[in-house]
């Protein structure tokens, strides 16, 4: 229950405001560059670009993409992806014991089986310490970091992740990079994030921009995000089934959408390049031009088919003839690399220019690469930087990667390691390890809360804010049903509160204002931590800095009552007014709060003020009565009568005070002689 609900002043107000929760979400990353960030550079052969190995890769984004299992070794994909995609001639049996232990961890988490969890943890520890398996070390670091069947120990978690990263485990590299960034050790963080971002960016498309598949936030503040969850049920979703039916009946637009869903893994579907190819081909037969470009991508990348650059160029050329300007990016790329055609930088630039002239972000990005490296043009880092900024403002993820490298190396932009770290992280989080989010969401939708919590917890360790928020929300929302595993078995209430507090705190550090509010609530009420009004105020001020209306409301309340902040009715009113300015939906609670201020100012130490001050203590009992009595049908009349009774009592009290005051003013004076008649 949100703090603001607990701050209302009469029973009716408590009931009404509980029906209007504030929508609270973390804000997206926003890149702001000023003139001070731009660096005066000489476009000559002395540029550090030539001596810096970080610029030696294929900055256009390669088509030679490795399988996810190679990019993310030790991934749990084998345990979650369909068997048909896992069992192959290259199946590595040397990891069978590792995956067996991980499977036990997953099963134990889902069923709350402490004995099985301890058995699995012991197997992982043996594989890590005796065999030196880097992937087992990564999981052991996770167990120590979370305090699962092992004493929570950040030092041991760090050491295991360090050696796992040295052994090639990408997820431990993510965990280490996040740890370094939290401690402002940007020189170490930026190197790891740069490596991980490169893996991610080389899997992006060469022509059009792929949809940004963000992890789904399963809650909006204190409420489940039902609309987003509804759109993530994959083949079980009614809307998807209707779309599939339309596609089967020959609707070209539906066929194209079906291909998109399967190609990118949208709407909760697993990626299936074979099905995507089938639907795109059917859509083309029905005259749907948008499928042409994706067919070019498929053949250029060899996604579900044998790679064929000649066919790729044919499909992309057809797409460009239909006005799909992003297809020029793929055509330009093939000419830059000489894939299926003779290498021709001049022609490549012409294609990129056509895409850019039609406001395609990919065109601006590719021109930026040509000017950055001097490919077919005279090198000009300033022009390259401008191209990347235009592409980044349009949401091109590869442009964020290039700007990160510029901040990292000081080429084109002044060296800024914190900014480089943030941008690299933004790109790295789109790497193959982000599949954890899909598996967690699938588990959540199936009601497997223990499995969902485990997967979100693993992602949280890698630094994903949404995963931190989701894991904490599951703990708070589902309690024992979260199947949280503690140091010696299923989590105690104290362990759950402590873990939720830690996760919310991490999320708040990354800009989640709802998390900051809950941290404030935890300190204000002593939930999972020692009650501390001053730290509660600090958390609310942090949320307020993100222009959060509820935080301002809470700060007003604390000033009104002198809890952790100086008693100041004027400041309280200012915060209440600011909350209303930011969120018109706060009109009711702010109006009630201002009414409380008026009562407190004009009737200090009165019966009404004592009622207001006692409400936070009796609120839990009132809340239970609201749920069990008032919300039942037929009790609205009781509520109305109760409110009327309170109103009558208030008015009678006010009338009595006025009567006393009037009597005092007109009482006869004994020393006054009555006037003669």
């Amino acid at each position: 229950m949100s703090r603001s609900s607990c701050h209302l002043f009469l029973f009716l107000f408590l009931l009404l405001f509980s029906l209007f929760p504030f929508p609270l979400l973390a804000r997206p990353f926003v890149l702001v560059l000023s003139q001070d960030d731009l660096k005066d550079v000489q476009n000559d052969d002395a540029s550090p670009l030539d001596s810096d190995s970080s610029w030696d890769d294929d900055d256009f984004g390669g088509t030679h993409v490795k399988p996810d299992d190679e990019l993310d070794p030790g991934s749990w994909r084998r345990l979650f992806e369909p068997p048909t995609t896992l069992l192959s001639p290259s199946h590595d049996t040397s990891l069978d014991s590792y995956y067996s232990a991980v499977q036990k961890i997953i099963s134990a988490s889902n069923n709350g089986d402490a004995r099985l969890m301890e058995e699995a943890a012991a197997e992982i520890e043996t594989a890590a310490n005796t065999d030196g398996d880097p992937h087992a070390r990564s999981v052991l670091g996770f167990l120590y970091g979370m305090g699962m069947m092992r004493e929570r120990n950040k030092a041991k978690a760090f050491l295991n992740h360090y050696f796992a990263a040295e052994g090639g485990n990408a997820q431990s590299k993510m965990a280490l990079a996040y740890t370094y960034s939290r401690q402002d050790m940007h020189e170490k963080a930026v190197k790891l994030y740069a490596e991980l971002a490169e893996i991610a960016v080389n899997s992006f498309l060469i022509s059009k921009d792929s949809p940004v598949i963000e992890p789904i936030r399963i809650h909006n503040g204190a409420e489940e995000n039902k609309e987003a969850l509804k759109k993530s049920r994959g083949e079980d979703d009614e809307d998807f089934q209707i779309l599939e039916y339309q596609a089967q009946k020959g609707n070209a637009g539906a066929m194209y959408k079906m291909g998109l869903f399967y190609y990118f893994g949208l709407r909760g579907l697993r990626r299936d390049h074979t099905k995507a190819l089938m639907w795109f081909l059917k859509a083309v037969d029905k005259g749907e031009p948008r499928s042409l470009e994706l067919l070019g991508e498929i053949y250029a990348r060899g996604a579900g088919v044998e790679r064929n650059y000649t066919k790729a160029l044919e499909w992309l050329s057809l797409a460009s003839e239909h006005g799909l300007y992003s297809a020029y990016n793929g055509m330009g790329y093939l000419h830059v690399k000489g894939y299926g055609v003779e290498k021709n930088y001049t022609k490549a630039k012409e294609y990129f220019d056509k895409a850019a002239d039609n406001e395609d972000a990919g065109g601006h990005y590719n021109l930026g690469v040509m000017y950055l490296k001097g490919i077919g043009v005279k090198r000009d880092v300033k022009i390259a930087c401008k191209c990347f900024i235009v592409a980044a403002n349009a949401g091109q993820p590869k442009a964020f990667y290039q700007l990160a490298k510029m901040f990292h190396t000081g080429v084109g932009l002044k060296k800024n390691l914190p900014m480089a770290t943030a941008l690299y992280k933004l790109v790295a989080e789109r790497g193959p390890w982000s599949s954890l989010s899909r598996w967690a969401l699938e588990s959540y939708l199936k009601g497997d809360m223990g499995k969902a919590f485990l997967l979100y917890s693993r992602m949280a360790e890698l630094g994903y804010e949404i995963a931190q928020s989701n894991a904490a929300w599951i703990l708070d929302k589902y309690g024992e049903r979260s199947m949280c595993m503690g140091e010696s078995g299923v989590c105690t209430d104290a362990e759950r509160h402590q873990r939720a507090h830690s996760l919310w705190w991490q999320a708040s550090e990354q800009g989640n204002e709802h998390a900051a509010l809950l941290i404030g609530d935890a300190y204000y009420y002593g939930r999972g931590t020692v009650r501390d009004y001053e730290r509660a105020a600090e958390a609310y001020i942090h949320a307020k800095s993100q222009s959060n209306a509820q935080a301002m409301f809470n700060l007003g309340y604390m000033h009104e009552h002198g809890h952790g902040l100086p008693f100041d009715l004027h400041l309280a009113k200012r915060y209440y007014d600011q909350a209303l300015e930011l969120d018109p939906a706060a009109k009711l609670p702010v109006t009630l709060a201002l009414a409380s201020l008026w009562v407190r100012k004009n009737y200090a130490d009165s019966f009404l003020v004592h009622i207001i001050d006692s409400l936070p203590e009796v609120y839990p009992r009132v809340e239970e009565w609201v749920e069990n009595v008032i919300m039942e049908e037929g009790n609205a009349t009781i509520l109305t009568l109760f409110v009327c009774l309170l109103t009558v009592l208030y008015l009678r009290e006010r009338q009595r005070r006025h009567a006393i005051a009037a009597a005092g003013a007109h009482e006869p004076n004994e020393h006054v002689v009555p006037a003669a008649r």
Side-chain angles (χ1 to χ4, degrees), residues 113-189:
D113 190 335
R115 182 197 60 78
L116 184 62
M117 178 63 83
E118 176 56 43
E119 179 183 328
E123 291 178 11
I124 286 292
E125 189 163 27
T126 299
N129 296 334
T130 304
D131 303 332
D133 179 6
H135 310 314
R137 283 190 181 279
S138 180
V139 176
L140 186 59
F142 170 58
L143 297 179
Y144 274 118
M146 294 297 294
M148 296 172 58
M149 308 312 292
R150 296 290 181 273
E151 182 181 1
R152 190 164 182 262
N153 189 313
K154 292 184 179 180
K156 289 184 178 180
F158 176 84
L159 284 175
N160 277 286
H161 281 307
Y162 178 83
F163 288 115
E166 290 288 306
N169 186 280
Q171 294 189 26
S172 279
K173 291 180 182 179
M174 282 287 289
L176 280 180
Y178 175 58
T179 299
Y180 287 138
S181 65
R182 288 188 73 193
Q183 299 173 0
D184 294 330
M185 300 171 68
H186 298 296
E187 289 188 0
K188 293 186 176 182

Side-chain angles (χ1 to χ4, degrees), residues 433-662:
W433 34 87
S434 65
S435 294
L436 285 163
S437 177
R438 183 173 69 247
W439 304 330
L441 182 60
E442 288 175 356
S443 300
Y444 181 84
L445 292 172
K446 292 177 182 176
D448 296 335
M449 295 304 160
K451 189 186 298 185
F453 173 69
L454 177 77
L455 293 168
Y456 280 132
S457 296
R458 175 64 165 174
M459 277 191 84
E461 184 185 43
L462 308 188
Y464 287 82
E465 180 275 315
I466 289 182
Q468 294 163 352
S469 173
N470 285 349
W473 191 82
I474 289 175
L475 284 173
D476 287 344
K477 177 73 173 180
Y478 292 94
E480 293 181 358
R481 286 182 57 199
S482 67
M483 299 299 173
C484 163
M485 284 291 172
E487 295 182 1
S488 58
V490 177
C491 285
T492 63
D493 288 344
E495 284 178 317
R496 275 198 306 275
H497 281 306
Q498 188 278 330
R499 194 169 297 180
H501 181 79
S502 176
L503 289 164
W504 284 127
W505 188 263
Q506 292 176 58
S508 73
E509 288 178 343
Q510 300 197 72
N512 186 319
E513 60 196 48
H514 175 66
L517 285 169
L518 289 179
I519 291 297
D521 289 350
Y523 282 121
Y524 191 92
Y525 293 108
R527 295 171 182 165
T529 185
V530 178
R531 175 176 286 186
D532 189 328
Y533 289 140
E534 291 184 0
R535 297 193 70 175
E538 290 175 2
Y540 293 140
I541 290 171
H542 176 65
K544 167 189 169 289
S545 67
Q546 299 167 332
S547 300
N548 182 274
Q550 187 171 339
M552 292 180 179
F553 184 94
N554 291 353
L555 288 168
Y557 180 87
M558 295 181 79
H559 273 300
E560 181 184 350
H561 293 83
H563 291 169
L565 292 171
F567 176 80
D568 191 324
L569 298 184
H570 294 290
L571 274 178
K573 183 179 184 304
R574 183 182 302 174
Y575 277 124
Y576 289 143
D577 289 339
Q578 289 177 353
L580 182 58
E581 289 176 8
L582 282 173
D583 190 351
K587 183 174 182 179
L588 175 62
V590 168
T591 300
L592 303 177
L594 293 175
S596 171
L597 286 179
W598 181 85
V599 171
R600 192 177 298 279
K601 182 178 180 180
N602 293 280
Y603 295 95
D605 298 324
S606 69
F607 171 72
L608 286 175
V609 171
H610 290 308
I611 289 180
I612 292 172
D613 291 340
S614 67
L615 279 175
E617 299 177 6
V618 302
Y619 179 76
R621 285 173 287 174
V622 174
E623 180 186 22
E624 183 180 357
W625 186 67
V626 169
E627 293 177 353
N628 297 335
V629 180
I630 297 302
M631 291 305 181
E632 294 182 6
E633 186 177 358
N635 287 319
T637 303
I638 299 176
L639 173 61
T640 303
L641 292 173
F642 184 78
V643 173
C644 290
L645 177 61
L646 285 177
T647 305
V648 170
L649 290 174
Y650 168 72
L651 293 175
R652 291 193 64 179
E653 170 69 13
R654 185 178 179 184
Q655 184 181 26
R656 186 181 67 82
R657 286 174 173 269
H658 281 300
I660 293 175

Side-chain angles (χ1 to χ4, degrees), residues 294-324:
L294 274 302
L295 287 170
E297 282 283 347
I298 285 174
Y299 279 101
R301 297 164 64 86
V305 296
E306 185 177 351
R307 181 180 280 114
N308 188 321
Y309 293 120
T310 302
K311 280 190 175 182
L313 184 59
E314 291 174 359
W315 287 117
L316 291 169
S317 298
L318 285 172
S320 66
E321 292 172 6
H322 283 80
L324 298 169

Side-chain angles (χ1 to χ4, degrees), residues 55-282:
W55 299 92
D56 293 340
D57 58 313
D58 181 4
D59 288 295
F60 289 100
T63 57
H64 298 285
V65 182
K66 296 179 180 179
D68 284 348
D69 284 335
E70 291 184 38
L71 296 174
D72 186 17
S75 163
W76 298 353
R77 185 169 288 98
R78 182 186 297 186
L79 305 176
F80 287 95
E81 298 289 351
T84 54
T85 64
L86 300 175
L87 302 178
S88 63
S90 61
H91 180 74
D92 188 357
T93 57
S94 65
L95 294 176
D96 284 349
S97 59
Y98 160 73
Y99 282 114
S100 174
V102 174
Q103 181 63 67
K104 290 179 181 178
I105 289 176
I106 294 169
S107 298
S109 295
N110 208 41
N111 301 318
D113 190 335
R115 182 197 60 78
L116 184 62
M117 178 63 83
E118 176 56 43
E119 179 183 328
E123 291 178 11
I124 286 292
E125 189 163 27
T126 299
N129 296 334
T130 304
D131 303 332
D133 179 6
H135 310 314
R137 283 190 181 279
S138 180
V139 176
L140 186 59
F142 170 58
L143 297 179
Y144 274 118
M146 294 297 294
M148 296 172 58
M149 308 312 292
R150 296 290 181 273
E151 182 181 1
R152 190 164 182 262
N153 189 313
K154 292 184 179 180
K156 289 184 178 180
F158 176 84
L159 284 175
N160 277 286
H161 281 307
Y162 178 83
F163 288 115
E166 290 288 306
N169 186 280
Q171 294 189 26
S172 279
K173 291 180 182 179
M174 282 287 289
L176 280 180
Y178 175 58
T179 299
Y180 287 138
S181 65
R182 288 188 73 193
Q183 299 173 0
D184 294 330
M185 300 171 68
H186 298 296
E187 289 188 0
K188 293 186 176 182
V190 77
K191 292 179 181 178
L192 288 168
Y193 275 135
E195 178 184 344
L196 295 161
E198 182 182 340
I199 294 173
V201 81
N202 281 331
S203 66
F204 297 163
L205 302 188
I206 61 172
S207 58
K208 69 181 298 178
D209 298 337
S210 59
V212 178
I213 306 173
E214 298 283 358
I216 299 297
R217 193 179 299 279
I218 62 178
H219 66 102
N220 286 328
E223 300 296 329
E224 189 173 66
N225 192 359
K226 293 182 180 179
E227 187 62 29
L229 295 176
K230 179 180 179 294
K231 295 179 179 179
S232 306
R233 295 185 179 276
E235 296 179 351
D236 295 329
D237 180 34
E238 291 182 4
D239 292 340
F240 173 81
Q241 292 169 358
I242 293 172
L243 183 71
E244 185 177 36
Y245 175 78
Q246 292 174 337
Q248 290 170 346
K249 290 297 182 181
N251 184 302
M255 291 175 178
Y256 169 69
K257 287 184 179 179
M258 289 289 293
L260 280 181
F261 288 174
Y262 279 115
Y263 188 66
F264 295 112
L266 304 176
R267 297 295 291 262
L269 293 172
R270 294 284 178 87
R271 283 179 297 175
D272 191 324
H273 292 152
T274 302
K275 287 185 178 180
L277 176 64
M278 175 194 72
W279 285 117
F280 286 141
L281 288 171
K282 286 186 175 183

